[in-house]
Amino acid sequence: AQTVTQSQPEMSVQEAETVTLSCTYDTSESDYYLFWYKQPPSRQMILVIRQEAYKQQNATENRFSVNFQKAAKSFSLKISDSQLGDAAMYFCAYTGTASKLTFGTGTRLQVTL
Amino acid sequence: KAGVTQTPRYLIKTRGQQVTLSCSPISGHRSVSWYQQTPGQGLQFLFEYFSETQRNKGNFPGRFSGRQFSNSRSEMNVSTLELGDSALYLCASSLDSTESYEQYFGPGTRLTVT
């Protein structure tokens, strides 16, 4: 079975600074996708960024980028120029052949002035 | 394009009752998945429907069931409600093409069982 681990329950970053959220996963599948979702207080899950396992190039979406280390089974999210609106729970998620998402336990990100 | 919609948004039920939650996917999306989110267990996969057929199922008791209609809308039903069923139930839809496995979530239905 696939597992996703987020070892940082809470993180804090100052506005305009950069923060990195960690995620590791375990799988025996060769084809899979990894995602970062953001869940603000409204509880709406918002897709932030995705990474295909077969792609070596790290995904980037505006201020969000990932560091995908396939051999180490690591998938971290970097948020640059942090904004107050980035404050939320961030979930790392995995999907493979089963077409279901397996989530980590989440990291609560606080953004301070 | 409209996002995933879920109804109702909030629900209060009594132990032993049953409940039906509804989900309308993004237009053109054929796969609908359901997740349960609780403080203790986190986000857990319930089941996935594709073309009116259940394709995957998580580790939940048979009291949890679902179905999908020909227009891809989906419902999930929980019978004989227990206090532990109190949770946020999230529905997600996806294209389910070989080029996209992204799942887009609705706002959720918050179920409280008293």
Side-chain angles (χ1 to χ4, degrees), chain A residues 32-105:
Chain A
Y32 53 89
Y33 294 77
L34 296 163
F35 305 90
W36 279 97
Y37 281 89
K38 167 185 177 181
Q39 189 177 44
S42 68
R43 310 308 297 274
Q44 173 82 51
M45 292 285 279
I46 301 165
L47 177 63
V48 174
I49 198 166
R50 79 168 194 174
Q51 174 77 45
E52 296 88 339
Y54 63 85
K55 289 187 178 178
Q56 293 186 338
Q57 186 173 6
N58 289 324
T60 299
E61 287 287 342
N62 301 314
R63 299 183 294 106
F64 299 87
S65 62
V66 299
N67 183 2
F68 174 49
Q69 302 290 325
K70 190 172 184 179
K73 295 180 179 174
S74 169
F75 181 61
S76 61
L77 173 70
K78 185 171 82 171
I79 306 174
S80 304
D81 186 26
S82 296
Q83 300 174 359
L84 294 177
D86 295 334
M89 281 290 285
Y90 286 81
F91 291 95
C92 178
Y94 168 104
T95 190
T97 57
S99 301
K100 68 174 186 177
L101 285 169
T102 299
F103 288 91
T105 51

Side-chain angles (χ1 to χ4, degrees), chain B residues 54-72:
Chain B
Q54 187 181 88
R55 190 161 64 174
N56 284 298
K57 189 177 190 306
N59 295 323
F60 279 82
R63 301 185 297 106
F64 291 81
S65 63
R67 59 177 174 170
Q68 186 180 35
F69 301 95
S70 58
N71 61 358
S72 294

Side-chain angles (χ1 to χ4, degrees), chain A residues 5-11 19-23 36 76-77 89-90 105-109:
Chain A
T5 302
Q6 293 179 250
S7 58
Q8 307 156 314
E10 289 191 17
M11 294 281 286
V19 65
T20 299
L21 309 184
S22 301
C23 172
W36 279 97
S76 61
L77 173 70
M89 281 290 285
Y90 286 81
T105 51
T107 297
R108 183 175 303 280
L109 178 66

